[in-house]
Amino acid sequence: MSNRSEIPVRTRYAPSPTGPQHIGGIRSALFGWLFARHHGGQFILRIEDTDQKRSVPGSLERILESFEWLGMDIDEGPQVGGDYGPYIQSERLELYQTWAKRLVEQGTAYKCFATTEDLAEMRASGGGYDRRYRDISAEQADRLEAQGKPYVIRFKMPLSGQTTGVDMIRGEVVFENAQLQDAVLLKSDGFPTYHLAHIVDDYHMKISHVTRAVEWLPSFPLHIQIWEALGWEKPQFTHLPVLLNPNGKGKLSKRKQQFAADGKSVPVLAHEFIAAGYLPEAVMNFLTNIGWNFGDNREVFTTQEAIERFQLEDVNPANSAYPIAKLDWLNSQYIQDAAVDDLARRLKPVLEAAGYAVDDDLLRRVVPLLQVRLKTLNDVVAMAGFFFADWQAFEAPPSEVLIQRKMDSAAAATVLSGAIPVLQRLDDFGSETQHSVMAAYAKDIGYKNGQVFGSLRAAVTGQRVSPPTFETMEILGRTESIRRIELALQALKERA
RNA sequence: GGCCCCUUCGUCUAGCGGCCUAGGAUGCCACCCUUUCAAGGUGGAGACACGGGUUCGAGUCCCGUAGGGGCUACCA
């Protein structure tokens, strides 16, 4: 596939284990994954837990679950292993310390003894770190260290000149070195910062293409300088656009619950998509189509098809408002196109979670009635839960459901009671036969189809909105259908 | 504030100088179909942020302005 690079393509997703996975992070990972798969390369998961304070136990499991659900397979990482591990940064501390020390020895980094208070003062007087320890002598530094003073290691950023970075979707980006600070490479607790750790790891893990969110663009020149100070050949870089809130204002946040225009809360965390009843294929399709497009004006495509076409260069550099409304549509497309057994298998746990005991054969008969009616898997409960409830416990719905528009209680009773013998006489209780016979019946008694069919629907399903009436009655069977109609008649009589 | 990135219908996008009287999708509206709800069909409204250049010709290239986003931590 790749005909211009001899080195194998290796991309990585390197999240901090700070809790549930945010859809924005997953999208960044997705682009790196698609790129690796397109080129037949490897996709690596690395956990960046160098900030102990922010680490949340169980995060790794959540990340792995999200990837598995979406079908994004990981070639190397914690749990799966690989030749370049460990894949958790807190287990690689020695490596970072070695290289930080090397930089100090070669004079491109230095020990800085400024205290938190010193830094706070500098910030208060309106500026960043003033580089006060950048040029102290080695003896001075040794003396301070011998006194037990804590220190960090900072990078000696060039004070003048420019650094030019090449971004695969933006081209050259030029920065003034004087704008950059002497970033901390190694913290006083011996842990590296992101700046050092990711470079050491990307180098040692032979990452060929760094894909990360645009918020890293401002520190791009710093990273370039560090790569060069280390004397390592750089990978290629791509800064990916991010997801904005649905209204286009601000980066999509997992902290603040977002609401779509219709007032529905917007799924942002990976597990929320599962809980909301979305299909993983639909979510993948949805995510892939933001900031990248399939071409040919196609909106619905498989992950495999996307892999065949995906190019990082084609990614739109602009951030996007989170187009969540499109996911409902896409999801409904996938539900419509799903095979009956497949959809039944996915619907079953949803119904069970709602408290229904699901009979597989019954479910398979019901599914075809549902396919054009469900936006999400969860919709099955309101639309067709009644099929799976205890039939013996069925009760007639309230009168306002039973009595159709432009009808009253007496009219409803007339229509329903007259329908019973007609249904009883049928040789064939199939929906089509029912339909034609009931249409004729409606004409006979002078009511509209909608009034007759609607009355039956309400009597038999207990709902105003349901799958088609006659298909439903066919599944329920003649005996049960008529029993329910009788229950409705009784209810109308009692309430009259 | 400084620095960096971005800017086509409400939204996601196609467009990489003439194929654009700007295409698709979603959402919205109307009509058709119709036993509810959907689905489906047909049609409609809807965008090149603005101003300068460059060019025979600019949505497409350059500059500026405006707007949006991000960074500016011993967080990533």
Side-chain angles (χ1 to χ4, degrees), chain A residues 107-279:
Chain A
T108 46
Y110 60 95
K111 293 173 182 173
C112 168
F113 296 85
T115 63
T116 309
E117 296 73 46
D118 293 338
L119 262 7
E121 262 174 49
M122 289 178 237
R123 221 170 290 126
S125 54
Y129 172 62
D130 61 10
R131 299 185 158 117
R132 61 179 64 168
Y133 290 94
R134 179 176 170 118
D135 297 311
I136 61 169
S137 64
E139 297 73 45
Q140 227 177 322
D142 288 346
R143 197 164 54 244
L144 286 165
E145 196 175 346
Q147 287 169 20
K149 299 260 196 232
Y151 64 89
V152 300
I153 290 178
R154 284 184 186 269
F155 185 68
K156 247 184 213 179
M157 190 66 194
L159 299 175
S160 62
Q162 297 178 325
T163 299
T164 300
V166 179
D167 178 287
M168 286 176 72
I169 62 182
R170 277 165 254 267
E172 289 194 348
V173 187
V174 182
F175 302 83
E176 291 293 333
N177 292 336
Q179 295 288 337
L180 280 284
Q181 299 211 334
D182 285 354
V184 172
L185 260 22
L186 200 70
K187 307 181 227 180
S188 55
D189 62 2
F191 276 66
T193 60
Y194 168 83
H195 303 302
L196 204 223
H198 92 272
I199 290 172
V200 169
D201 287 344
D202 284 345
Y203 172 73
H204 289 285
M205 294 179 182
K206 296 188 160 49
I207 299 304
S208 64
H209 298 259
V210 171
T211 52
R212 69 216 318 187
V214 264
E215 47 257 41
W216 292 110
L217 200 49
S219 49
F220 190 17
L222 198 219
H223 301 153
I224 291 170
Q225 290 291 340
I226 297 173
W227 276 98
E228 289 175 355
L230 256 4
W232 294 336
E233 192 187 335
K234 294 185 287 289
Q236 287 191 262
F237 295 87
T238 305
H239 294 90
L240 300 166
V242 297
L243 259 19
L244 269 22
N245 285 318
N247 61 9
K249 300 283 181 191
K251 205 169 67 155
L252 188 64
S253 159
K254 67 173 154 187
R255 284 276 164 74
K256 277 184 287 180
Q257 179 77 59
Q258 293 300 322
F259 296 91
D262 61 7
K264 265 172 53 179
S265 83
V266 168
V268 170
L269 305 177
H271 63 263
E272 292 174 335
F273 288 85
I274 305 176
Y278 292 110
L279 267 31

Side-chain angles (χ1 to χ4, degrees), chain A residues 72-87:
Chain A
M72 289 166 63
D73 51 329
I74 296 164
D75 298 302
E76 296 171 27
Q79 301 206 341
V80 287
D83 295 339
Y84 305 95
Y87 293 89

Side-chain angles (χ1 to χ4, degrees), chain A residues 284-297:
Chain A
M284 281 291 269
N285 194 151
F286 169 66
L287 255 21
T288 307
N289 228 352
I290 307 171
W292 184 81
N293 76 91
F294 190 81
D296 297 348
N297 283 336

